[in-house]
C-alpha cells in the first residue's frame, strides 16, 4: 500500500542556469509582446556568423524563446541544436556558457519529445566531449578548479545530460557508451570540486543508476563503492548531495543497501535531513522578506545549519534583498533533501511487501461469476507484522519525525506570499510549492509506514485520530485543495488511517462538515482522490454498521455509494464503490436500509453495465485489477445471499 510504481523517478531539483543575466528580461518581454516567431530566424542567423560575439548574442536571445512550446519546436525544426552544440567547445568562456545554458534550457522546457529530437540532432557528441575534456584538463593540472571560468558551462552540460536521460532510454545508453558514469564519479571529490559540481554530478548519477544493471555493476566495484560511502560520511558535503548519494546506493544495491558498509550512516543521514524544521524556516523567510514585518508569527525551533560549498551557513533572521536568494537556496536544498529522504524510506518500507497480483485481462471471464455459497464469508485480514527495516526506522524516531513534518501551510502564509512585492513573489511561491511537494512525499511515507508498523508504535487509536483530524483540516485550505497531487496524497494517507482506525475502534465517525468535504472529493474529477475519499467514508460506514442497532449514517453512506455506482463513468471508481457497498452492508442488522434504498435491484441492474465497462477498459489501467477481481467474484454471491435473507 502507498507505493506508486508508475511514477518511480524522483524529479531532482537543479540549480538555475547561470551566466545569462539578460535572459529573464528577455523572457518578460516575450510574455508581454508574445513570441516573435519570425524573429527566431533572424536571431538564428547570428549562430552562423563568423563573429563570436554574434554567436553569443544569438544563444542568449534564443534562450528567451524556449519557454514557448511553439518557439521551441521551431528551433528544433531549424536544427538549432546542430548549430549550438559545436559552440560548447569554443574557447571563449562566455560563449560556451551561453550555448550550454541554451541547451540546458531546451532540455528542461521541452519534455520527452524535445529531448528525443535533441538527441537525434547529435547533442550528445558535444556534451560528452566537453565533460571528458574538462575533467581531463582538471585532473592533469594543479589549477584551482573551483575558480575555473568553464565550471558553470560544465555544470550546465551535466544537467543537460541528466534531463535527456530522464526522458530517453537512448540517452542513458549513449551516456554509458561515452563513459559518463566514470566522468561523474571522478568529480565527486569534495577537496577539488565545488558543492555545485558535486550536486550536479550526484543528481545525474542518481538518474543513470535507476534500474540500470550496467551502471549498478560499475558502482559496486570496490573503489567506486568506497568513494560513494566516503561522501555519505563527509560532513563537508552538502546535505542534499549526501541524500542523493544515499539514493544512488539504494538504486545500486536495492533493499540490500542496509547490509552494506554504509548501513550505519544511511538511515541516520535520512532522518537527520527530516529533522530540519523547514516549516519554521519557510515562515522566517516569508515574513522577514517584508521589511515592515520584524518577525514571523510562529517560530517553533532553531533553524538547521546548511552547507555552502564546504562551509556552513544559517539563514538570516533579517533579510535583505541580497540574502533572500541565498536563504531560499538553502531552504530549497533542505526541502529537496527531505523529499528524497521520504521517498527512499518509503521504498525501504516496501522491502517486505513482495506480494504480486496476477494480471486480470478484459478477455478473461467478465461474467462477474456465479456463486455456490449461500452466505458471505468474513475475510478478516491479519495485521502485518513489523518488518525489520520498519522496526529500525521506528526505533530511530521515524514516527516522531512524521508527526512533526506534517505541518501544512495555511491561508495566512499563502496570502503573505501573494501580497509580497513582485520581485520576491515568484521565488517565494516556488519554495511554497516545493514545501507542499515535500509534504506529498511525507504523506506517502506515512501511508507505507501505517501498512508496515503496528498501531501501538503510533501511540494508539487516539494518536491516529489526532493525525486524521489534522489531514481533514488541511482539506479546508483552498490553496491546498487546488493542488491535485497533494490532495491525492492527503486522502491516500487518510484512507490508511481510516482502515487502521476501523479495524481497531468501533467509535469511528466524522462530523457533518467533514463528511461534506469528503463527499465533494468523491465527486471530484481526479479519480485517485475520489477513490481515496470514498474509501474513507466507507471505513466510517463499516465501523458504524457493526453497532448493535442500525445507524442512519450507514443509510446515508449507502445512498452516496449507490449514486456513484449509477452515475460515474469511471470503472475504477464504480468498482471501488461496489466493493464498498458490500462491506458497508455485510451485517444483516442493516438489511432494513438495503430494502429502503433498493440496493439489490440497483446492483442487479448494474451487472450488465459492469460487463460492458470491463470489456472497454483501458488495458494500461492495471492498478485497480485486484479490486475488480474481488467484485467479480463476490458481487453475485452478495446479491444471492441478500435475496435469501431479506
Amino acid at each position: 500500500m502507498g507505493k506508486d510504481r508508475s511514477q518511480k523517478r524522483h524529479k531532482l531539483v537543479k540549480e538555475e542556469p547561470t551566466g545569462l543575466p539578460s535572459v529573464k528580461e528577455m523572457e518578460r518581454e516575450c510574455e508581454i509582446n508574445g513570441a516573435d516567431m519570425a524573429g527566431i530566424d533572424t536571431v538564428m542567423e547570428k549562430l552562423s556568423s563568423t563573429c563570436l560575439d554574434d554567436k553569443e548574442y544569438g544563444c542568449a536571445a534564443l534562450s528567451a524563446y524556449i519557454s514557448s512550446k511553439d518557439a521551441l519546436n521551431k528551433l528544433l525544426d531549424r536544427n538549432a541544436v546542430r548549430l549550438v552544440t559545436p559552440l560548447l567547445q569554443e574557447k571563449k568562456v562566455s560563449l560556451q556558457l551561453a550555448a550550454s545554458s541554451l541547451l540546458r534550457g531546451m532540455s528542461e522546457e521541452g519534455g520527452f519529445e524535445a529531448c528525443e529530437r535533441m538527441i537525434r540532432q547529435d547533442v550528445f557528441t558535444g556534451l560528452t566531449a566537453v565533460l571528458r575534456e574538462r575533467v581531463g584538463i582538471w585532473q592533469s593540472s594543479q589549477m584551482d578548479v573551483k575558480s575555473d571560468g568553464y565550471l558553470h558551462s560544465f555544470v550546465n552540460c551535466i544537467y543537460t545530460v541528466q534531463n535527456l536521460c530522464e526522458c530517453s532510454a537512448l540517452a542513458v545508453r549513449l551516456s554509458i557508451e561515452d563513459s559518463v558514469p566514470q566522468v561523474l564519479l571522478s568529480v565527486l571529490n569534495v577537496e577539488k570540486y565545488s558543492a555545485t559540481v558535486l550536486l550536479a554530478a550526484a543528481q545525474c548519477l542518481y538518474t543513470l543508476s535507476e534500474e540500470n544493471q550496467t551502471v549498478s555493476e560499475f558502482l559496486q566495484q570496490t573503489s567506486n563503492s568506497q568513494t560513494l560511502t566516503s561522501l555519505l560520511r563527509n560532513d563537508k558535503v552538502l546535505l542534499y548531495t549526501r541524500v542523493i548519494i544515499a539514493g544512488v546506493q539504494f538504486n545500486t544495491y536495492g533493499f540490500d543497501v542496509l547490509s552494506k558498509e554504509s548501513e550505519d550512516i544511511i538511515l541516520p543521514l535520512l532522518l537527520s535531513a527530516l529533522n530540519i524544521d523547514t516549516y519554521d524556516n519557510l515562515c522566517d523567510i516569508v515574513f522577514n522578506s517584508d521589511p515592515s514585518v520584524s518577525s514571523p508569527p510562529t517560530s517553533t525551533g532553531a533553524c538547521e545549519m546548511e552547507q555552502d560549498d564546504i562551509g556552513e551557513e544559517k539563514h538570516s533572521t533579517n533579510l535583505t534583498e541580497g540574502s533572500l536568494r541565498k536563504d531560499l537556496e538553502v531552504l530549497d536544498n533542505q526541502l529537496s533533501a527531505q523529499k528524497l529522504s521520504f521517498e527512499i524510506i518509503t521504498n525501504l518500507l516496501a522491502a517486505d511487501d513482495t506480494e504480486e497480483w496476477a494480471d486480470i485481462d478484459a478477455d478473461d471471464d467478465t461474467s462477474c461469476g456465479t456463486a455456490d455459497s449461500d452466505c458471505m464469508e468474513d475475510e478478516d485480514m491479519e495485521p502485518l507484522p513489523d518488518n525489520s527495516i520498519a522496526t529500525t526506522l521506528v526505533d530511530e524516531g521515524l514516527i516522531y519525525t512524521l508527526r512533526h513534518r506534517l505541518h501544512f501551510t495555511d491561508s495566512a502564509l499563502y496570502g503573505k506570499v501573494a501580497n509580497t512585492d513582485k520581485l520576491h513573489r515568484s521565488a517565494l511561491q516556488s519554495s511554497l510549492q516545493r514545501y507542499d511537494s515535500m509534504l506529498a512525499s511525507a504523506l506517502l511515507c506515512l501511508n507505507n509506514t501505517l501498512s508496515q508498523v503496528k498501531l501501538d508504535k503510533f501511540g494508539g487509536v487516539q494518536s491516529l485520530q489526532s493525525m486524521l483530524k489534522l489531514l481533514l483540516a488541511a482539506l479546508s485550505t483552498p490553496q491546498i485543495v487546488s493542488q491535485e497531487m497533494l490532495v491525492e496524497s492527503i486522502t491516500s494517507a487518510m484512507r490508511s488511517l481510516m482502515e487502521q482506525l476501523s479495524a481497531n475502534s468501533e467509535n469511528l465517525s466524522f462530523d457533518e462538515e467533514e463528511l461534506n468535504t469528503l463527499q465533494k472529493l468523491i465527486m471530484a474529477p481526479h479519480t485517485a482522490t475520489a477513490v481515496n475519499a470514498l474509501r474513507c467514508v466507507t471505513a466510517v460506514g463499516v465501523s458504524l454498521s457493526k453497532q448493535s442497532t442500525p445507524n442512519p449514517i450507514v443509510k446515508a453512506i449507502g445512498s452516496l455509494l449507490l449514486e456513484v455506482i449509477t452515475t460515474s463513468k469511471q470503472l475504477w471508481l464504480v468498482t471501488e464503490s461496489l466493493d464498498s457497498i458490500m462491506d458497508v452492508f455485510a451485517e444483516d442488522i442493516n438489511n432494513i436500509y438495503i430494502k429502503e434504498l433498493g440496493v439489490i435491484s440497483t446492483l442487479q441492474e448494474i451487472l450488465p453495465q459492469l460487463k460492458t465497462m470491463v470489456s472497454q477498459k483501458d488495458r494500461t489501467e492495471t492498478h485497480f485489477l485486484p479490486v475488480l477481481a474481488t467484485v467479480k467474484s463476490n458481487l453475485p454471491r452478495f446479491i444471492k445471499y441478500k435475496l435469501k435473507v431479506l
Side-chain angles (χ1 to χ4, degrees), residues 185-186 188-189 221-232 245:
L185 198 65
S186 70
L188 290 176
N189 183 334
Q221 295 174 14
T222 302
S223 60
N224 298 336
S225 179
Q226 290 174 347
T227 297
L228 296 177
T229 301
S230 66
L231 286 170
L232 287 173
I245 295 298

mmCIF file of all heavy atoms in Angstrom, residues 185-186 188-189 221-232 245:
data_model
loop_
_atom_site.group_PDB
_atom_site.id
_atom_site.type_symbol
_atom_site.label_atom_id
_atom_site.label_comp_id
_atom_site.label_asym_id
_atom_site.label_seq_id
_atom_site.Cartn_x
_atom_site.Cartn_y
_atom_site.Cartn_z
ATOM 1 N N LEU A 185 31.694 10.140 -11.510
ATOM 2 C CA LEU A 185 32.315 9.639 -10.282
ATOM 3 C C LEU A 185 33.652 10.322 -10.023
ATOM 4 O O LEU A 185 34.022 10.574 -8.866
ATOM 5 C CB LEU A 185 32.499 8.125 -10.386
ATOM 6 C CG LEU A 185 32.728 7.388 -9.065
ATOM 7 C CD1 LEU A 185 31.496 7.478 -8.182
ATOM 8 C CD2 LEU A 185 33.088 5.927 -9.319
ATOM 9 N N SER A 186 34.363 10.661 -11.091
ATOM 10 C CA SER A 186 35.688 11.268 -10.925
ATOM 11 C C SER A 186 35.624 12.675 -10.343
ATOM 12 O O SER A 186 36.606 13.153 -9.768
ATOM 13 C CB SER A 186 36.421 11.303 -12.273
ATOM 14 O OG SER A 186 35.825 12.245 -13.159
ATOM 15 N N LEU A 188 33.367 13.595 -8.044
ATOM 16 C CA LEU A 188 32.804 13.560 -6.696
ATOM 17 C C LEU A 188 33.938 13.608 -5.675
ATOM 18 O O LEU A 188 34.159 12.696 -4.881
ATOM 19 C CB LEU A 188 31.949 12.302 -6.518
ATOM 20 C CG LEU A 188 30.637 12.281 -7.304
ATOM 21 C CD1 LEU A 188 29.913 10.959 -7.124
ATOM 22 C CD2 LEU A 188 29.728 13.440 -6.875
ATOM 23 N N ASN A 189 34.640 14.710 -5.714
ATOM 24 C CA ASN A 189 35.802 14.941 -4.861
ATOM 25 C C ASN A 189 35.623 16.284 -4.166
ATOM 26 O O ASN A 189 35.765 17.343 -4.781
ATOM 27 C CB ASN A 189 37.084 14.931 -5.706
ATOM 28 C CG ASN A 189 38.332 15.094 -4.872
ATOM 29 O OD1 ASN A 189 38.311 15.667 -3.784
ATOM 30 N ND2 ASN A 189 39.447 14.601 -5.384
ATOM 31 N N GLN A 221 31.813 -1.785 -7.908
ATOM 32 C CA GLN A 221 33.247 -2.053 -7.838
ATOM 33 C C GLN A 221 33.809 -1.429 -6.562
ATOM 34 O O GLN A 221 33.409 -0.342 -6.152
ATOM 35 C CB GLN A 221 33.954 -1.491 -9.070
ATOM 36 C CG GLN A 221 33.544 -2.170 -10.377
ATOM 37 C CD GLN A 221 34.154 -1.510 -11.597
ATOM 38 O OE1 GLN A 221 35.091 -0.708 -11.483
ATOM 39 N NE2 GLN A 221 33.615 -1.825 -12.769
ATOM 40 N N THR A 222 34.740 -2.132 -5.950
ATOM 41 C CA THR A 222 35.187 -1.768 -4.600
ATOM 42 C C THR A 222 35.595 -0.308 -4.468
ATOM 43 O O THR A 222 35.134 0.408 -3.567
ATOM 44 C CB THR A 222 36.362 -2.666 -4.189
ATOM 45 O OG1 THR A 222 35.957 -4.034 -4.256
ATOM 46 C CG2 THR A 222 36.811 -2.339 -2.771
ATOM 47 N N SER A 223 36.435 0.178 -5.362
ATOM 48 C CA SER A 223 36.922 1.559 -5.248
ATOM 49 C C SER A 223 35.794 2.566 -5.436
ATOM 50 O O SER A 223 35.745 3.599 -4.749
ATOM 51 C CB SER A 223 38.029 1.816 -6.272
ATOM 52 O OG SER A 223 37.542 1.620 -7.594
ATOM 53 N N ASN A 224 34.887 2.275 -6.350
ATOM 54 C CA ASN A 224 33.770 3.181 -6.594
ATOM 55 C C ASN A 224 32.801 3.196 -5.423
ATOM 56 O O ASN A 224 32.301 4.252 -5.013
ATOM 57 C CB ASN A 224 33.037 2.775 -7.874
ATOM 58 C CG ASN A 224 33.930 2.852 -9.102
ATOM 59 O OD1 ASN A 224 34.919 3.589 -9.112
ATOM 60 N ND2 ASN A 224 33.594 2.101 -10.143
ATOM 61 N N SER A 225 32.527 2.025 -4.879
ATOM 62 C CA SER A 225 31.651 1.940 -3.710
ATOM 63 C C SER A 225 32.248 2.697 -2.531
ATOM 64 O O SER A 225 31.534 3.380 -1.785
ATOM 65 C CB SER A 225 31.416 0.474 -3.342
ATOM 66 O OG SER A 225 30.599 0.366 -2.200
ATOM 67 N N GLN A 226 33.557 2.607 -2.369
ATOM 68 C CA GLN A 226 34.223 3.322 -1.273
ATOM 69 C C GLN A 226 34.140 4.829 -1.460
ATOM 70 O O GLN A 226 34.003 5.578 -0.490
ATOM 71 C CB GLN A 226 35.680 2.867 -1.177
ATOM 72 C CG GLN A 226 35.838 1.445 -0.662
ATOM 73 C CD GLN A 226 37.275 0.961 -0.703
ATOM 74 O OE1 GLN A 226 38.144 1.586 -1.343
ATOM 75 N NE2 GLN A 226 37.553 -0.150 -0.043
ATOM 76 N N THR A 227 34.220 5.276 -2.721
ATOM 77 C CA THR A 227 34.085 6.711 -2.995
ATOM 78 C C THR A 227 32.728 7.225 -2.546
ATOM 79 O O THR A 227 32.617 8.275 -1.891
ATOM 80 C CB THR A 227 34.273 6.988 -4.494
ATOM 81 O OG1 THR A 227 35.599 6.627 -4.888
ATOM 82 C CG2 THR A 227 34.041 8.464 -4.813
ATOM 83 N N LEU A 228 31.663 6.491 -2.889
ATOM 84 C CA LEU A 228 30.310 6.909 -2.522
ATOM 85 C C LEU A 228 30.114 6.864 -1.010
ATOM 86 O O LEU A 228 29.512 7.770 -0.424
ATOM 87 C CB LEU A 228 29.285 6.020 -3.220
ATOM 88 C CG LEU A 228 29.253 6.105 -4.757
ATOM 89 C CD1 LEU A 228 28.237 5.130 -5.336
ATOM 90 C CD2 LEU A 228 28.942 7.522 -5.223
ATOM 91 N N THR A 229 30.610 5.817 -0.384
ATOM 92 C CA THR A 229 30.456 5.692 1.064
ATOM 93 C C THR A 229 31.183 6.817 1.797
ATOM 94 O O THR A 229 30.681 7.354 2.787
ATOM 95 C CB THR A 229 30.979 4.332 1.540
ATOM 96 O OG1 THR A 229 30.266 3.290 0.876
ATOM 97 C CG2 THR A 229 30.804 4.172 3.043
ATOM 98 N N SER A 230 32.362 7.183 1.305
ATOM 99 C CA SER A 230 33.112 8.267 1.950
ATOM 100 C C SER A 230 32.368 9.598 1.847
ATOM 101 O O SER A 230 32.427 10.427 2.763
ATOM 102 C CB SER A 230 34.504 8.389 1.326
ATOM 103 O OG SER A 230 34.427 8.806 -0.029
ATOM 104 N N LEU A 231 31.658 9.805 0.732
ATOM 105 C CA LEU A 231 30.852 11.024 0.591
ATOM 106 C C LEU A 231 29.701 11.034 1.589
ATOM 107 O O LEU A 231 29.356 12.077 2.147
ATOM 108 C CB LEU A 231 30.315 11.132 -0.835
ATOM 109 C CG LEU A 231 31.321 11.535 -1.914
ATOM 110 C CD1 LEU A 231 30.713 11.355 -3.298
ATOM 111 C CD2 LEU A 231 31.775 12.972 -1.736
ATOM 112 N N LEU A 232 29.082 9.880 1.805
ATOM 113 C CA LEU A 232 27.991 9.789 2.769
ATOM 114 C C LEU A 232 28.454 10.195 4.166
ATOM 115 O O LEU A 232 27.696 10.790 4.938
ATOM 116 C CB LEU A 232 27.443 8.358 2.814
ATOM 117 C CG LEU A 232 26.596 7.895 1.623
ATOM 118 C CD1 LEU A 232 26.290 6.404 1.747
ATOM 119 C CD2 LEU A 232 25.298 8.688 1.538
ATOM 120 N N ILE A 245 23.324 10.767 -2.853
ATOM 121 C CA ILE A 245 24.250 9.633 -2.875
ATOM 122 C C ILE A 245 23.616 8.423 -2.197
ATOM 123 O O ILE A 245 23.781 7.279 -2.644
ATOM 124 C CB ILE A 245 25.583 9.996 -2.192
ATOM 125 C CG1 ILE A 245 26.299 11.098 -2.983
ATOM 126 C CG2 ILE A 245 26.475 8.780 -2.068
ATOM 127 C CD1 ILE A 245 26.682 10.707 -4.398
#
